[in-house]
Amino acid sequence: FLYGSGFVLSLLSLCHRPSTNTSFCTESKECLEYELVCKTDEYEVRHYSPTRWVSTDAEAYFMGVGAAMAFRRLFQYITGANEGGIQMEMTAPVLVKIPEETKMWEPAVYTLNFPLPAAYQEKPPAPTNDKLYFTEMPEMDVYVRSYGGWMLSVTSRLHAHLLTKELERVRASYNHSYHYGVGYDSPLKLLNRHNEVWYVADGLYSLLSFMSVDFMIYVAKYW
């Protein structure tokens, strides 16, 4: 068993490698960097360092409607609606925090977030709109499922469901109260769009969650 444990840890060390996200983050000069910890056919495990974001909330019945209202406020902030009238480059990705428990007959609160450019991570200009605020994202590990097309309410929920189904199958530990809808592309981009669903891992992500159950049975039996 000790040899098997060593084998698992060696696999973890082999798959811990720097990000290669430039292939899908093509429209922004600054993209949020991460370390790709492990990858399966269904999802990735990524590690993110602490970052500061500018955020705003919007109440709506559908994610797409709330995100559109919130996006306008954030875009105004980076194009000069801040103390000093500073104009900033658009960064990526855009994160929409989506509550897990929503009811069709009640509006939900969606939180939209832009990562602040590196030059303003320490001292961002204050927003002139009191509906905007700064969010300190902590260091975190996330489970990520990627998909193409457009990030709509129905597609976001579908891929969130597919990701949680896989995470439950491998008994991964994650925050069940919300997830993130993640977009990298402008509305003008029609082809090769890239979207993601994120669930934040609870504490240290499961050492076994990136491996198939069949593989782990093999390791336990034969290693």
Side-chain angles (χ1 to χ4, degrees), residues 42-43 145 155-168 199:
E42 299 296 328
Y43 63 90
R145 179 181 173 87
T155 55
S156 180
R157 286 291 182 186
L158 169 63
H159 288 281
H161 169 73
L162 293 173
L163 178 54
T164 55
K165 182 178 179 181
E166 184 65 17
L167 295 181
E168 293 297 331
Y199 278 92

Side-chain angles (χ1 to χ4, degrees), residues 13-27:
S13 64
L14 285 173
C15 69
H16 188 80
R17 55 191 181 276
S19 155
T20 53
N21 68 337
T22 52
S23 62
F24 55 80
C25 190
T26 57
E27 292 188 291

Side-chain angles (χ1 to χ4, degrees), residues 96-102 108-111 157 176-179:
V96 186
K97 187 176 183 180
I98 303 170
E100 204 67 15
E101 297 295 331
T102 59
V109 175
Y110 299 94
T111 303
R157 286 291 182 186
H176 291 69
S177 61
Y178 67 90
H179 66 273

